[in-house]
Amino acid sequence: MKFFIDTANLAEIREAYDMGILDGVTTNPSLMAKEGISGDANVRAHYKAICDIVDDKVSAEVISTDFDGMIKEGKDLAKIDDKIVVKIPMIKDGIKAIKYFHSEGIRTNCTLVFSAGQAILAAKAGATYLSPFIGRLDDISYDGLELIGQIVHIYGNYGFETEVLAASIRHTMHLVKCAEIGADVVTCPLKVITGLLKHPLTDSGLAQFLADHAKAASK
Ligand code: G3P
């Protein structure tokens, strides 16, 4: 299972990378705006800065919503660094763009996926990654994890190569359940990754070990 971090914050990306468990980064226009990044040159420089931290797989999202615009923007993003994966929204022109980038050998991440039908279309077009949004489905009383299971099953039926990248992960149980279901990748905020560390028995057990060691050493 691959771990991506879902942020444009360089310090958080560095922290996750330094743990030695990070496989990639996903961003979106909202996450870039949250870091105060705007303007073409600044956006490109920020993507480059992210690429310089991690080994590979940095999703950079297009803003255009028409085919020609997505192709131009996606090509420009891909030129920033070989690590860039072009993130394309799940719309009709997006599917055409994914097909185009697939034929050009440029990796894509199909985003804003909320149904199995959309997942089938993206896989048919040759998306490298598919991003179903678990948390946003849960927010409106649909079962986001059920969708992950449905897509993993469908992709398995046909041997689709598109990787299921579970996104909009809000807490550690989302992540653990995705692992049980067999999602290829999870992308989540740093607090979800570090949340996996936490267990009260680990904390109390460690405190006890250290106390016993100190006691023995003082004898
Ligand atoms: O990057 C897309 C996705 O992970 C967004 O998550 O929490 O804004 O629904 P969220």
Side-chain angles (χ1 to χ4, degrees):
M1 175 182 232
K2 297 188 193 88
F3 271 27
F4 291 0
I5 188 166
D6 196 29
T7 184
N9 182 286
L10 300 181
E12 290 185 2
I13 294 167
R14 259 185 226 106
E15 187 176 335
Y17 183 77
D18 286 347
M19 284 174 75
I21 47 76
L22 195 68
D23 301 295
V25 180
T26 52
T27 62
N28 61 42
S30 304
L31 293 171
M32 293 291 274
K34 196 173 159 195
E35 299 306 315
I37 312 297
S38 66
D40 196 43
N42 291 334
V43 167
R44 292 178 67 82
H46 200 75
Y47 282 136
K48 182 63 186 157
I50 294 174
C51 290
D52 286 345
I53 298 172
V54 299
D55 297 333
D56 196 14
K57 306 179 189 81
V58 176
S59 284
E61 188 160 341
V62 299
I63 307 299
S64 305
T65 54
D66 64 293
F67 177 75
D68 291 338
M70 281 189 263
I71 298 305
K72 184 184 176 318
E73 221 185 306
K75 279 182 172 174
D76 284 348
L77 288 170
K79 277 183 201 149
I80 295 172
D81 198 291
D82 286 345
K83 298 173 187 174
I84 293 285
V85 175
V86 180
K87 204 170 178 186
I88 307 269
M90 166 43 75
I91 52 177
K92 194 163 149 194
D93 278 23
I95 291 298
K96 284 170 63 179
I98 287 167
K99 180 82 188 171
Y100 174 85
F101 285 127
H102 180 64
S103 70
E104 293 288 304
I106 294 174
R107 297 174 298 177
T108 54
N109 174 358
C110 182
T111 189
L112 290 167
V113 172
F114 295 95
S115 77
Q118 292 177 329
I120 293 168
L121 274 179
K124 289 283 293 173
T128 315
Y129 301 102
L130 179 91
S131 290
F133 281 25
I134 299 176
R136 292 192 193 184
L137 278 170
D138 289 358
D139 287 344
I140 57 161
S141 303
Y142 284 78
D143 188 341
L145 287 167
E146 192 178 308
L147 176 63
I148 301 296
Q150 215 182 347
I151 297 169
V152 167
H153 179 79
I154 291 168
Y155 281 11
N157 282 348
Y158 297 100
F160 282 130
E161 287 177 7
T162 300
E163 293 189 39
V164 180
L165 192 173
S168 187
I169 286 184
R170 303 278 170 77
H171 49 73
T172 53
M173 283 315 292
H174 269 158
L175 191 154
V176 171
K177 288 287 171 195
C178 282
E180 279 181 19
I181 293 165
D184 301 289
V185 191
V186 285
T187 190
C188 50
L190 180 64
K191 69 170 189 200
V192 175
I193 297 174
T194 54
L196 296 173
L197 291 164
K198 292 181 188 159
H199 200 289
L201 291 178
T202 303
D203 296 341
S204 60
L206 182 60
Q208 186 67 56
F209 285 156
L210 295 178
D212 290 344
H213 173 77
K215 208 163 129 191
S218 68
K219 277 183 185 163

